[in-house]
PDB file of all heavy atoms in Angstrom:
ATOM      1  N   ASP A  78      29.094 -21.345  11.909  1.00  0.00           N
ATOM      2  CA  ASP A  78      29.380 -20.432  10.820  1.00  0.00           C
ATOM      3  C   ASP A  78      28.311 -19.349  10.759  1.00  0.00           C
ATOM      4  O   ASP A  78      27.379 -19.317  11.548  1.00  0.00           O
ATOM      5  CB  ASP A  78      29.481 -21.161   9.479  1.00  0.00           C
ATOM      6  CG  ASP A  78      28.239 -21.970   9.151  1.00  0.00           C
ATOM      7  OD1 ASP A  78      27.156 -21.645   9.685  1.00  0.00           O
ATOM      8  OD2 ASP A  78      28.331 -22.909   8.349  1.00  0.00           O
ATOM      9  N   LEU A  79      28.460 -18.444   9.812  1.00  0.00           N
ATOM     10  CA  LEU A  79      27.484 -17.374   9.664  1.00  0.00           C
ATOM     11  C   LEU A  79      26.119 -17.895   9.231  1.00  0.00           C
ATOM     12  O   LEU A  79      25.094 -17.281   9.516  1.00  0.00           O
ATOM     13  CB  LEU A  79      27.990 -16.331   8.662  1.00  0.00           C
ATOM     14  CG  LEU A  79      29.099 -15.398   9.170  1.00  0.00           C
ATOM     15  CD1 LEU A  79      29.513 -14.445   8.064  1.00  0.00           C
ATOM     16  CD2 LEU A  79      28.649 -14.625  10.390  1.00  0.00           C
ATOM     17  N   GLN A  80      26.113 -19.026   8.551  1.00  0.00           N
ATOM     18  CA  GLN A  80      24.830 -19.606   8.158  1.00  0.00           C
ATOM     19  C   GLN A  80      24.027 -19.993   9.395  1.00  0.00           C
ATOM     20  O   GLN A  80      22.801 -19.862   9.428  1.00  0.00           O
ATOM     21  CB  GLN A  80      25.055 -20.824   7.266  1.00  0.00           C
ATOM     22  CG  GLN A  80      23.779 -21.437   6.706  1.00  0.00           C
ATOM     23  CD  GLN A  80      23.369 -20.812   5.390  1.00  0.00           C
ATOM     24  OE1 GLN A  80      23.891 -19.779   5.006  1.00  0.00           O
ATOM     25  NE2 GLN A  80      22.451 -21.452   4.687  1.00  0.00           N
ATOM     26  N   GLU A  81      24.732 -20.457  10.434  1.00  0.00           N
ATOM     27  CA  GLU A  81      24.074 -20.751  11.705  1.00  0.00           C
ATOM     28  C   GLU A  81      23.404 -19.498  12.259  1.00  0.00           C
ATOM     29  O   GLU A  81      22.245 -19.522  12.687  1.00  0.00           O
ATOM     30  CB  GLU A  81      25.109 -21.253  12.710  1.00  0.00           C
ATOM     31  CG  GLU A  81      25.560 -22.672  12.501  1.00  0.00           C
ATOM     32  CD  GLU A  81      24.687 -23.640  13.271  1.00  0.00           C
ATOM     33  OE1 GLU A  81      24.203 -23.270  14.354  1.00  0.00           O
ATOM     34  OE2 GLU A  81      24.476 -24.744  12.774  1.00  0.00           O
ATOM     35  N   GLN A  82      24.143 -18.399  12.272  1.00  0.00           N
ATOM     36  CA  GLN A  82      23.605 -17.154  12.805  1.00  0.00           C
ATOM     37  C   GLN A  82      22.433 -16.658  11.963  1.00  0.00           C
ATOM     38  O   GLN A  82      21.448 -16.135  12.501  1.00  0.00           O
ATOM     39  CB  GLN A  82      24.697 -16.095  12.843  1.00  0.00           C
ATOM     40  CG  GLN A  82      25.873 -16.459  13.750  1.00  0.00           C
ATOM     41  CD  GLN A  82      26.974 -15.432  13.673  1.00  0.00           C
ATOM     42  OE1 GLN A  82      26.764 -14.268  13.971  1.00  0.00           O
ATOM     43  NE2 GLN A  82      28.156 -15.858  13.258  1.00  0.00           N
ATOM     44  N   LEU A  83      22.545 -16.823  10.663  1.00  0.00           N
ATOM     45  CA  LEU A  83      21.469 -16.411   9.764  1.00  0.00           C
ATOM     46  C   LEU A  83      20.178 -17.157  10.095  1.00  0.00           C
ATOM     47  O   LEU A  83      19.107 -16.549  10.229  1.00  0.00           O
ATOM     48  CB  LEU A  83      21.883 -16.676   8.311  1.00  0.00           C
ATOM     49  CG  LEU A  83      20.835 -16.449   7.225  1.00  0.00           C
ATOM     50  CD1 LEU A  83      20.403 -14.998   7.177  1.00  0.00           C
ATOM     51  CD2 LEU A  83      21.367 -16.891   5.862  1.00  0.00           C
ATOM     52  N   ILE A  84      20.268 -18.462  10.249  1.00  0.00           N
ATOM     53  CA  ILE A  84      19.083 -19.265  10.576  1.00  0.00           C
ATOM     54  C   ILE A  84      18.513 -18.858  11.927  1.00  0.00           C
ATOM     55  O   ILE A  84      17.301 -18.724  12.095  1.00  0.00           O
ATOM     56  CB  ILE A  84      19.439 -20.767  10.554  1.00  0.00           C
ATOM     57  CG1 ILE A  84      19.762 -21.216   9.126  1.00  0.00           C
ATOM     58  CG2 ILE A  84      18.295 -21.600  11.127  1.00  0.00           C
ATOM     59  CD1 ILE A  84      20.305 -22.632   9.042  1.00  0.00           C
ATOM     60  N   ASP A  85      19.404 -18.623  12.898  1.00  0.00           N
ATOM     61  CA  ASP A  85      18.938 -18.237  14.229  1.00  0.00           C
ATOM     62  C   ASP A  85      18.158 -16.927  14.190  1.00  0.00           C
ATOM     63  O   ASP A  85      17.116 -16.788  14.839  1.00  0.00           O
ATOM     64  CB  ASP A  85      20.120 -18.096  15.191  1.00  0.00           C
ATOM     65  CG  ASP A  85      20.587 -19.438  15.741  1.00  0.00           C
ATOM     66  OD1 ASP A  85      19.809 -20.407  15.651  1.00  0.00           O
ATOM     67  OD2 ASP A  85      21.705 -19.507  16.261  1.00  0.00           O
ATOM     68  N   ILE A  86      18.668 -15.944  13.462  1.00  0.00           N
ATOM     69  CA  ILE A  86      17.988 -14.644  13.383  1.00  0.00           C
ATOM     70  C   ILE A  86      16.612 -14.809  12.764  1.00  0.00           C
ATOM     71  O   ILE A  86      15.609 -14.281  13.273  1.00  0.00           O
ATOM     72  CB  ILE A  86      18.832 -13.642  12.565  1.00  0.00           C
ATOM     73  CG1 ILE A  86      20.125 -13.296  13.300  1.00  0.00           C
ATOM     74  CG2 ILE A  86      18.031 -12.361  12.305  1.00  0.00           C
ATOM     75  CD1 ILE A  86      21.108 -12.479  12.479  1.00  0.00           C
ATOM     76  N   ILE A  87      16.551 -15.546  11.661  1.00  0.00           N
ATOM     77  CA  ILE A  87      15.271 -15.728  10.974  1.00  0.00           C
ATOM     78  C   ILE A  87      14.263 -16.422  11.888  1.00  0.00           C
ATOM     79  O   ILE A  87      13.113 -15.986  12.022  1.00  0.00           O
ATOM     80  CB  ILE A  87      15.475 -16.529   9.673  1.00  0.00           C
ATOM     81  CG1 ILE A  87      16.249 -15.688   8.653  1.00  0.00           C
ATOM     82  CG2 ILE A  87      14.124 -16.964   9.082  1.00  0.00           C
ATOM     83  CD1 ILE A  87      16.646 -16.451   7.398  1.00  0.00           C
ATOM     84  N   LEU A  88      14.689 -17.497  12.560  1.00  0.00           N
ATOM     85  CA  LEU A  88      13.776 -18.225  13.437  1.00  0.00           C
ATOM     86  C   LEU A  88      13.342 -17.380  14.630  1.00  0.00           C
ATOM     87  O   LEU A  88      12.188 -17.430  15.056  1.00  0.00           O
ATOM     88  CB  LEU A  88      14.431 -19.522  13.914  1.00  0.00           C
ATOM     89  CG  LEU A  88      14.665 -20.589  12.846  1.00  0.00           C
ATOM     90  CD1 LEU A  88      15.355 -21.799  13.464  1.00  0.00           C
ATOM     91  CD2 LEU A  88      13.354 -21.005  12.201  1.00  0.00           C
ATOM     92  N   GLN A  89      14.273 -16.585  15.175  1.00  0.00           N
ATOM     93  CA  GLN A  89      13.926 -15.759  16.325  1.00  0.00           C
ATOM     94  C   GLN A  89      12.903 -14.692  15.938  1.00  0.00           C
ATOM     95  O   GLN A  89      11.916 -14.471  16.658  1.00  0.00           O
ATOM     96  CB  GLN A  89      15.187 -15.091  16.894  1.00  0.00           C
ATOM     97  CG  GLN A  89      14.934 -14.343  18.200  1.00  0.00           C
ATOM     98  CD  GLN A  89      16.226 -13.934  18.888  1.00  0.00           C
ATOM     99  OE1 GLN A  89      17.297 -14.455  18.596  1.00  0.00           O
ATOM    100  NE2 GLN A  89      16.139 -12.992  19.822  1.00  0.00           N
ATOM    101  N   VAL A  90      13.102 -14.035  14.802  1.00  0.00           N
ATOM    102  CA  VAL A  90      12.163 -12.996  14.369  1.00  0.00           C
ATOM    103  C   VAL A  90      10.795 -13.597  14.074  1.00  0.00           C
ATOM    104  O   VAL A  90       9.754 -13.065  14.490  1.00  0.00           O
ATOM    105  CB  VAL A  90      12.702 -12.254  13.127  1.00  0.00           C
ATOM    106  CG1 VAL A  90      11.625 -11.344  12.521  1.00  0.00           C
ATOM    107  CG2 VAL A  90      13.940 -11.435  13.485  1.00  0.00           C
TER     108      VAL A  90
END
Side-chain angles (χ1 to χ4, degrees):
D78 56 24
L79 285 179
Q80 185 89 347
E81 284 270 327
Q82 298 176 60
L83 174 63
I84 292 172
D85 279 342
I86 293 171
I87 291 173
L88 292 178
Q89 187 168 342
V90 170

